[in-house]
């Protein structure tokens, strides 16, 4: 086993067996504290690789990208029209047409006094010209072009070289996750490939004797596994490479094999289920025996029985088995750790204020993320309406929702109309 620094002991007993033990009560970590501890334990992957433009989706830039040339590379026309000398312009003036400047086919000569050049959008502004008159503002007869409208100012309808990006300017910072806009920028700069961090490898399995794959018939007491598919989809959206270890029975030896296989082949191991205190919940005891438990349980509803630790060189996250709890803990705790592992400098989640659309009850000890809808309040603001179904096992209700309503722990409640913080569902969801 790779030697690692011991995590602080937060009341987790080190038990040589895989049987559940009585754990002394300790204050639950707040969501912010749990997230901070996880991020402090994360070191970004160091390996890098050069990847072609067509395969860059969701990859993380290893180095900042600087413009190798001006964009645009030369003064060019923003409109179809005529390239002219502004000094020649006056209402009704007639100019002699001497050629054309098309996109990709510049005019080789110089525009002199009383002359103009037909130009299309993107065409390089010819020497001598400093302004473009749009084609709707002229009448043309043969090689004669007459101005029919009040001329614009000098430089009208001209895009200057480097006005978008100047040569040498930083265009994209290291750590940027590459999407449609970033890939378009790289293509515009003419870059066929860039250096990115390697993909994060994540091993994933669900534990539970009651779990069956979707499509299988269910016997009494059995349910279909959804957590693996939900987490795998979010991992894919984060650009991770998923090693799916499937469904593992609630058997300590089988779970041991899954943990060890995952840790040997991945940077992060995620298990769904087995993180609570039931007779078949072996994840914490196994991790405590095989590796390190950093903390267990978070003052979060849904999502209290969450495990974070390490096994060899791999980090381990044990998600609750309830589907909504698994989604919430992944979204709030695991995804930020993954972003740091990737070396990603993703923007902070959007958090807005809205009026409570209904009375909200507080949980006495835990921050609660209520599922709900964020809607316009009709007065230029927003209102947050909690969904009537808040069970941590009721996953289908999420399809009606578009946001989490943050209800801090405490006594009393939040009245209709009071301001609350709301996290709109992001692109992971």
């Amino acid at each position: 086993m790779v030697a690692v620094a011991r995590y602080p002991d937060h009341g987790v007993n080190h038990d040589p067996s895989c049987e559940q033990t009585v754990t002394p009560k300790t204050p639950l970590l707040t969501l912010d504290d749990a997230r901070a501890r996880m991020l402090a334990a994360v070191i970004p992957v160091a390996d890098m690789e050069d990847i072609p433009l067509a395969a860059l989706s969701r990859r993380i830039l290893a180095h900042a990208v600087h413009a190798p040339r001006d964009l645009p590379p030369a003064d060019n026309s923003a409109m179809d029209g005529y390239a002219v000398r502004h000094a020649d312009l006056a209402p009704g003036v007639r100019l002699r047409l001497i050629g054309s400047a098309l996109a990709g086919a510049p005019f080789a000569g110089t525009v002199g006094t009383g002359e103009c050049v037909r130009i299309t959008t993107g065409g390089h502004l010819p020497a001598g010209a400093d302004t473009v008159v749009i084609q709707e503002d002229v009448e043309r007869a043969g090689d004669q072009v007459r101005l029919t409208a009040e001329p614009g100012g000098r430089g009208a309808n001209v895009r200057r070289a480097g006005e978008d990006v100047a040569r040498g300017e930083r265009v994209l910072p290291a750590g940027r996750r590459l999407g449609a806009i970033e890939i378009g920028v790289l293509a515009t700069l003419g870059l066929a490939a860039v250096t990115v961090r390697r993909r994060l490898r994540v091993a994933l399995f669900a534990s539970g004797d009651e779990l069956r794959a979707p499509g299988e018939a269910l016997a009494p007491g059995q349910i279909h596994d959804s957590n693996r598919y939900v987490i795998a989809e979010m991992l894919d959206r984060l650009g991770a490479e998923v090693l799916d270890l499937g469904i593992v029975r609630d058997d300590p030896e089988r779970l041991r094999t899954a943990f060890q296989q995952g840790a040997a082949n991945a940077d992060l191991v995620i298990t769904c289920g087995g993180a609570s205190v039931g007779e078949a919940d072996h994840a914490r005891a196994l991790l405590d025996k095989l590796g390190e438990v950093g903390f267990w349980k978070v003052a979060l509803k849904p999502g209290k029985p969450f495990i974070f630790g390490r096994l060899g060189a791999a980090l381990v996250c044990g998600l609750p088995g309830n589907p909504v709890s698994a989604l919430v803990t992944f979204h709030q705790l695991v995804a930020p750790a993954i972003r740091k592992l990737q070396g990603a400098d993703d923007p902070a989640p959007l958090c807005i204020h809205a009026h409570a659309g209904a009375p909200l009850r507080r949980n006495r000890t835990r921050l609660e993320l209520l599922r709900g809808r964020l809607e316009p309040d009709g007065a230029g603001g927003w209102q947050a309406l909690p969904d009537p179904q808040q069970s941590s096992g009721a996953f289908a209700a999420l399809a009606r929702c578009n946001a989490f309503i943050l209800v801090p722990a405490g006594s009393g409640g939040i009245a209709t109309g009071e301001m609350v913080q709301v996290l709109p569902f992001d692109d992971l969801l």
Side-chain angles (χ1 to χ4, degrees):
M1 181 182 294
V2 177
V4 294
R6 299 288 297 181
Y7 287 92
D9 184 356
H10 299 293
V12 178
N13 293 333
H14 290 269
D15 187 346
S17 75
C18 294
E19 306 223 350
Q20 294 299 317
T21 60
V22 177
T23 302
K25 286 189 176 181
T26 57
L28 297 179
L29 288 177
T30 67
L31 176 61
D32 287 342
D33 286 344
R35 188 186 295 124
R37 292 195 185 197
M38 292 176 68
L39 294 178
V42 169
I43 299 175
V45 296
D47 300 335
M48 302 176 188
E49 54 188 354
D50 293 335
I51 297 296
L53 203 64
L56 284 176
S57 178
R58 301 185 180 94
R59 300 303 294 269
I60 310 300
L61 267 181
H63 309 296
V65 172
H66 294 79
R69 60 184 63 84
D70 287 341
L71 288 180
D75 294 350
N76 68 87
S77 179
M79 304 286 286
D80 291 342
Y82 296 85
V84 302
R85 290 162 25 102
H86 187 264
D88 292 339
L89 296 184
V93 69
R94 293 181 183 275
L95 304 172
R96 185 168 66 89
L97 183 65
I98 61 170
S100 62
L102 309 179
F107 179 71
T110 299
V111 177
T113 302
E115 296 176 337
C116 67
V117 167
R118 174 74 171 132
I119 194 167
T120 57
T121 302
H124 284 192
L125 196 69
D130 57 16
T131 300
V132 172
V133 176
I134 62 175
Q135 61 187 13
E136 292 85 356
D137 289 347
V138 303
E139 290 179 351
R140 177 179 167 184
D143 66 352
Q144 295 295 303
V145 175
R146 184 175 73 87
L147 186 62
T148 59
E150 189 71 27
R154 184 177 183 275
N157 305 308
V158 174
R159 296 184 290 214
R160 296 298 179 187
E163 72 173 28
D164 185 11
V165 176
R167 180 179 180 180
E169 182 181 343
R170 191 185 77 169
V171 182
L172 297 173
R176 176 65 67 90
R177 188 180 300 277
L178 301 176
I181 292 174
E182 291 80 8
I183 293 170
V185 168
L186 296 172
T188 302
L189 292 172
L191 300 176
V194 292
T195 303
V196 297
R197 293 185 185 266
R198 73 159 171 81
R199 286 191 186 276
L200 194 70
R201 294 186 285 268
V202 181
L204 171 66
F205 65 91
S207 65
D209 290 345
E210 77 281 12
L211 298 178
R212 293 295 181 270
E216 290 188 18
L218 297 179
Q222 296 177 343
I223 59 173
H224 287 124
D225 172 30
S226 63
N227 287 342
R228 250 170 60 246
Y229 297 92
V230 172
I231 303 306
E233 171 63 17
M234 291 194 284
L235 287 169
D236 181 68
R237 295 189 180 201
L238 284 165
E241 179 183 329
V242 180
L243 172 62
D244 188 355
L245 301 180
I247 298 172
V248 180
R249 298 288 300 275
D250 283 326
D251 174 78
E253 288 307 311
R254 294 188 183 187
L255 288 168
R256 180 197 302 269
T257 299
F259 269 120
Q260 292 176 331
Q261 181 182 353
N265 294 282
D267 307 291
L268 171 66
V269 179
I270 298 176
T271 173
C272 302
S276 192
V277 294
E279 291 182 3
D281 291 326
H282 303 296
R284 180 177 61 88
L286 264 171
L287 182 58
D288 201 25
K289 180 179 180 180
L290 299 174
E292 306 288 338
V293 173
F295 64 80
W296 175 51
K297 294 188 178 181
V298 181
L300 178 66
K301 183 181 179 182
K304 177 182 176 182
F306 174 84
I307 305 169
F308 176 67
R310 186 184 294 274
L311 179 54
L315 296 175
V316 178
C317 293
L319 309 185
N322 277 323
V324 180
S325 300
L327 178 141
V328 168
T329 51
F330 181 94
H331 187 267
Q332 293 294 305
L333 291 167
V334 184
I338 286 175
R339 292 183 174 105
K340 186 172 178 182
L341 278 167
Q342 293 174 317
D345 188 21
D346 290 340
L350 177 66
C351 185
I352 68 173
H353 288 85
H355 297 282
L360 306 176
R361 295 172 56 187
R362 296 180 189 269
N363 184 280
R364 188 173 59 85
T365 59
R366 290 186 279 165
L367 167 70
E368 186 165 6
L369 271 64
L370 296 174
R371 284 82 76 200
R373 287 202 61 79
L374 186 64
E375 298 179 350
D377 64 5
W382 297 93
Q383 66 174 346
L385 298 165
D387 191 84
Q389 176 56 270
Q390 294 294 328
S391 168
S392 59
F395 197 83
L398 280 165
R400 300 191 293 263
C401 302
N402 65 6
F404 292 121
I405 305 168
L406 276 61
V407 181
S411 58
I414 297 173
T416 301
E418 286 190 48
M419 297 300 292
V420 292
Q421 287 187 305
V422 180
L423 288 172
F425 286 176
D426 57 21
D427 58 358
L428 284 189
L429 303 176

